Amino acid sequence: MPLRDGRLSHDIDPSDRPPQDACGVFGVWVPADQASRAEVSKLTYYGLYALQHRGQESAGIAVSDGSRIVVFKDMGLVAQVFDESVLNTLRGHIAVGHCRYSTTGSPTWENAQPTFRSSDAGGLALVHNGNLINTPELAARLAPGVLTATTDTEVLTALLATSGDGGPLAAAREILPATRGAYSLVFMDEGTLYAARDPEGIRPLVLGALEDSGWVVASETAGLDIVGARFVREIEPGELVAIDGDGVRSERFAEARPKGCLFEYVYLARPDTTIAGRSVQATRVEVGRRLAREHPVEADMVIPTPESGTPAAIGYAEASGIPYGQGLVKNSYVGRTFIQPSQTIRQLGIRLKLNPLREAIEGKRLVVVDDSIVRGNTQRAIVGMLRDAGAAEVHVRISSPPVAWPCFYGIDFATRAELIAGNLSVEEIRDSIGADSLGYISLDELISASHIAKDNLCRACFDGVYPIPVEEAARGKHLLEVGR
Ligand code: SF4
């Protein structure tokens, strides 16, 4: 698969992709008489632009003018899918938008979002961040042949559009309590914007208010900031919200059992996003400080793996007293037309993205801070590159505990067999990547730095304790494609 223009993730080595984010969702409602001034399609475009790091395979926007819903979606980044002329055709006062990384179903146009369904009662467009774990059970509620795509989202959309005859709100009251897994949803019919979050609240979802009048729902507060919306509150786990001319109406479809994703703090969320009132950047710097106290080492310079390791490297340098510096320069602009290295020059792969600053690191004992290790190929290449550039010692510090278990709630990690920490001890991993020493933050310290109670967090990829039990049969990304 070719690399994409301006990819915002820290995908450094194509053969060792970092955790892939599930999706970014966005929704906006403004009064109908302000539709032309508010330009909801452009607000949604900018919102998705701020959420691009959460999904880079496809992007889409649905807009309602009160009587009709129009959907535009395509493969690619938000800025590749939409231009001014397309956005000008998407007119109305309600919109939902999505940027996707596939967690159930292939990265194809049919599986891009928003998904859309119409029934006698009208249309329904929906966007989803997360991954359901009882999709076959839900799909069994539908008549044969109803599904046109292969995603859990398509199943949910079909159910919400066709269940009962009381419209999406009544359907959501019936369907959501039977829906298991991770889902932060934003959906709309012709006149109302809806938002819902699973009872565990695994993926984030926040509500904001526009300055004049109107409401915004987004995966992260960074999606509110970009459109000038004021943060109001998080959509609560187990909450269903409807927004229209009568304001924001909220109800519960399930008791909250909060299990927010701990990995959002480590890598997924933008550093300028706030979760539970605390900035992600502040948490990451604090993790770096704690990492320095847990795994001290004598060294001359602390450097990050850019950019994902930067906040924790700042914290590590601060707490250890070792100077912070730049040792690696990242080329962020490897483009879509870029030719994927062939097997014979694969060893050059990392050089396409990172280059060492030889003068800065020559003869130095380095601490290299990164956010996580998936397969270990990237860290092995970085250590080798730094040694080649003259580093005297390379000490690797990781601002998350070992990732040893896959995620079934919307993050596409490797399988357990592919995860290096699923198979090797820390000392064996150190040996495998060729570092002089290796230290991971402990799970307790990471949790403590998040300021969230341990029982209110999902930590399954670190400790293998899955807060929503996942049966073996529900673990495949392509489970709805079998036999198609
Ligand atoms: S398994 Fe890991 S990545 Fe997945 S929701 Fe839990 S903490 Fe987040």
Side-chain angles (χ1 to χ4, degrees), residues 410-433:
I411 305 303
D412 196 14
F413 283 127
T415 63
R416 182 156 164 78
E418 293 166 324
L419 290 166
I420 193 167
N423 301 284
L424 302 181
S425 68
V426 173
E427 175 54 23
E428 287 169 332
I429 297 170
R430 182 207 62 72
D431 188 48
S432 170
I433 65 174

Side-chain angles (χ1 to χ4, degrees), residues 202-203 261-264 268 406-409 411 413 458-462 466:
I202 287 183
R203 301 275 145 245
C261 169
L262 185 55
F263 215 80
E264 293 279 347
L268 303 178
C407 173
F408 301 107
Y409 311 135
I411 305 303
F413 283 127
C458 174
R459 308 104 36 187
C461 50
F462 304 122
Y466 290 92

Side-chain angles (χ1 to χ4, degrees), residues 91-281:
R91 298 191 170 278
H93 72 288
I94 314 174
V96 298
H98 191 262
C99 48
R100 176 171 195 247
Y101 176 77
S102 54
T103 49
T104 299
S106 302
T108 60
W109 185 90
E110 289 76 17
N111 286 341
Q113 298 182 32
T115 45
F116 177 79
R117 280 268 158 180
S118 62
S119 68
D120 293 345
L124 183 117
L126 179 144
V127 292
H128 171 206
N129 175 204
N131 197 49
L132 305 186
I133 59 165
N134 67 333
T135 307
E137 186 186 316
L138 293 171
R141 293 175 173 233
L142 292 163
V146 165
L147 293 179
T148 56
T150 55
T151 67
D152 51 352
T153 310
E154 171 71 9
V155 172
L156 210 45
T157 308
L159 286 168
L160 291 175
T162 57
S163 297
D165 50 12
L169 200 55
R173 288 175 186 136
E174 179 190 331
I175 299 302
L176 295 183
T179 305
R180 289 193 293 120
Y183 50 97
S184 284
L185 304 174
V186 188
F187 51 108
M188 65 184 208
D189 55 19
E190 286 78 2
T192 305
L193 180 72
Y194 306 90
R197 199 169 169 209
D198 59 80
E200 287 76 17
I202 287 183
R203 301 275 145 245
L205 194 63
V206 294
L207 175 69
L210 289 166
E211 202 167 294
D212 291 342
S213 61
W215 301 92
V216 176
V217 181
S219 289
E220 298 184 28
T221 59
L224 304 181
D225 296 340
I226 199 168
V227 297
R230 173 177 54 83
F231 172 75
V232 174
R233 64 178 177 83
E234 298 193 8
I235 304 292
E236 296 291 324
E239 183 182 12
L240 171 63
V241 160
I243 302 171
D244 56 20
D246 295 330
V248 178
R249 301 184 304 284
S250 163
E251 62 186 69
R252 292 213 148 270
F253 62 88
E255 279 301 308
R257 304 182 291 268
K259 297 284 180 195
C261 169
L262 185 55
F263 215 80
E264 293 279 347
Y265 293 92
V266 171
Y267 164 63
L268 303 178
R270 276 173 58 138
D272 53 341
T273 274
T274 60
I275 302 177
R278 182 168 159 81
S279 107
V280 169
Q281 170 83 3

Side-chain angles (χ1 to χ4, degrees), residues 20 31 39 70 78 84 182 199 204 216 236 247 249 255 268 309 311 342 358 365 409 419 429 482:
Q20 300 298 302
E39 296 186 293
V70 175
V78 177
E84 187 99 26
V216 176
E236 296 291 324
R249 301 184 304 284
E255 279 301 308
L268 303 178
S342 66
R358 185 176 287 273
R365 297 169 298 171
Y409 311 135
L419 290 166
I429 297 170
V482 175

Side-chain angles (χ1 to χ4, degrees), residues 387-418:
R387 288 202 196 282
D388 288 348
E393 295 173 15
V394 183
H395 302 275
V396 176
R397 296 293 180 269
I398 304 297
S399 62
S400 66
V403 176
W405 302 86
C407 173
F408 301 107
Y409 311 135
I411 305 303
D412 196 14
F413 283 127
T415 63
R416 182 156 164 78
E418 293 166 324

